Amino acid sequence: MTDLETRTAGRTGDPGPSGALRRAAPALLGYAAVRALGLLALALWSAARDKSAYPLLTARWDSLWYTRVAELGYGYEVRLPNGDVHSNLAFFPLLPWLERLGAAVSPLSYADAGFVVSLLASLAAAWGIFAVADHVYGARAGVCAVLLWAVLPVGIVQSMAYSESLFTALAAWSLYAVLTGRWVTAGTLAALAGLTRPVGLAVTAAVWVAVLTAFVRSRSGGDPDGAPGARHLLGMLLAPLGAAGYVLWVGHRTGKGPLGYLDVQAGWRNGFDGGAAFARFVAGKFTSFPGALAGVGLVIGVALLVWLYVVCVRQRQPPPLLVYAGLVTVLALCASSYFGSKPRLLLPAFPLLFPLALGLARLRTARATLLVCAVAAASAVYGAFWLNGSGPP
């Protein structure tokens, strides 16, 4: 048995909700501090430009599409001069449903409700990331993983009325449920993740791989719990229901059958081409200067992602984490449009941060704290600059 398997197998006790919250408290407090710093930097930067920071978080880019779905439902579209059709059917429904619920039970507007949902979901995501990393590597690595997720350059998106935080929370807790054998919970959360973003497919795949792995181990006599039973099967059946249900509904609404959602995405010039369009985009950066510097940065970024994934494999992360992180990364990099969105599309791929978290956890506390504070400050400044400039499309 490897060291990783020993640590995982040895962590079988369930401390209960209050005990789990106390264990996660350092990670959550650190996460809240980093996000507060990011919001403060955004407010100060925006004020210096005679702008309000709040609309940048709640009333631009995709957040407008989500609030419009919450207020008016589906059916809105924009026809561009080049013939493209941007339909709000491209946006999955769970976040707008929560925005509508928040506005119905409180004096909040739809945009306000979206902001509150994102703030709460980001904390739930941080807790879920801690739970997964703690289960596999221990509490110190869990705290480091959460802090690294918080200080990502595009971490400000975690505080926007976008669906990334909500999706990451559902994905992280579904993966934790998989790792701890809560199969029905894992399938239910995977279904909800599938109602949040198209990449919910990655969570479903993780659940399925975990059940199939358990089945193979039971056949070989390597699983002391025996063959997968009804709970495993129910988890597998529940997992794809969210994404499949919405995609089929869109196909029925558009009258184009099961593949109707792909036509909706095509109207946004978005699809999956194996990364060909992204490769051409990167290559185009090298045709001029200083564009070539951006091209070098993109190449380094992709190489870093590949390297992190290889390290995850070498460290023998549990198969559900590898499948989930791999699919999130592939779907983000191989989408055929919105190249500026790729960093935020990678936000849910938190298992890629675990090798860095392990390295950070090995440092002395003072040195690790100083490093995190420096990176957090840089991330806060970049987030403020980014949202006051091009921002996430």
Side-chain angles (χ1 to χ4, degrees), residues 15 122 142 148 182 196 218 267 293 314 330 336 347 350:
S122 68
L148 287 174
R182 296 168 170 87
T196 308
S218 70
L293 298 178
R314 293 178 63 184
V330 168
S336 59
L347 273 177
F350 63 87

Side-chain angles (χ1 to χ4, degrees), residues 68 136 157 202 233 236 244 247 267 307-308 388 393:
R68 189 174 283 117
V136 180
V157 173
L233 180 59
M236 286 186 72
V247 168
W307 175 75
L308 286 173
N388 277 277

Side-chain angles (χ1 to χ4, degrees), residues 303-325:
L304 176 62
L305 290 172
V306 173
W307 175 75
L308 286 173
Y309 189 78
V310 170
V311 175
C312 290
V313 173
R314 293 178 63 184
Q315 291 179 345
R316 301 188 67 180
Q317 278 190 16
L321 300 187
L322 293 175
V323 169
Y324 167 76

Side-chain angles (χ1 to χ4, degrees), residues 58-318:
T58 62
R60 290 186 68 187
W61 304 295
D62 288 5
S63 57
L64 288 173
W65 288 89
Y66 283 119
T67 55
R68 189 174 283 117
V69 172
E71 182 178 6
L72 303 174
Y74 286 104
Y76 177 80
E77 62 183 30
V78 175
R79 294 184 177 272
L80 303 183
N82 65 356
D84 290 346
V85 178
H86 288 185
S87 168
N88 64 1
L89 290 170
F91 296 88
F92 277 50
L94 186 57
L95 178 57
W97 286 348
L98 293 176
E99 290 178 342
R100 183 178 297 177
L101 176 63
V105 300
S106 72
L108 297 175
S109 68
Y110 296 111
D112 295 337
F115 181 63
V116 171
V117 168
S118 290
L119 289 183
L120 296 177
S122 68
L123 288 170
W127 191 358
I129 292 170
F130 171 82
V132 172
D134 177 29
H135 182 81
V136 180
Y137 297 114
R140 187 175 175 87
V143 172
C144 292
V146 170
L147 293 176
L148 287 174
W149 192 65
V151 302
L152 289 172
V154 294
I156 190 65
V157 173
Q158 298 162 16
S159 301
M160 297 178 66
Y162 270 44
S163 60
E164 273 76 11
S165 290
L166 178 60
F167 175 81
T168 304
L170 294 167
W173 283 108
S174 179
L175 291 169
Y176 179 74
V178 164
L179 295 176
T180 55
R182 296 168 170 87
W183 300 103
V184 176
T185 300
T188 301
L189 292 173
L192 291 173
L195 283 171
T196 308
R197 296 188 64 82
V199 76
L201 167 68
V203 191
T204 297
V207 174
W208 281 46
V209 164
V211 174
L212 293 175
T213 300
F215 177 78
V216 171
R217 287 179 176 173
S218 70
R219 293 294 297 270
S220 63
D223 189 347
D225 296 327
R231 292 179 296 108
H232 296 74
L233 180 59
L234 182 56
M236 286 186 72
L237 293 176
L238 287 171
L241 292 184
Y246 181 68
V247 168
L248 291 175
W249 178 81
V250 170
H252 173 74
R253 176 162 181 137
T254 60
K256 297 183 178 180
L259 300 181
Y261 183 77
L262 297 181
D263 289 336
V264 171
Q265 287 283 16
W268 287 78
R269 292 187 179 270
N270 200 15
F272 185 89
D273 65 356
F278 183 48
R280 291 193 297 270
F281 173 78
V282 173
K285 294 293 183 181
F286 289 94
T287 61
S288 64
F289 187 86
L293 298 178
V296 171
L298 289 170
V299 171
I300 292 174
V302 172
L304 176 62
L305 290 172
V306 173
W307 175 75
L308 286 173
Y309 189 78
V310 170
V311 175
C312 290
V313 173
R314 293 178 63 184
Q315 291 179 345
R316 301 188 67 180
Q317 278 190 16

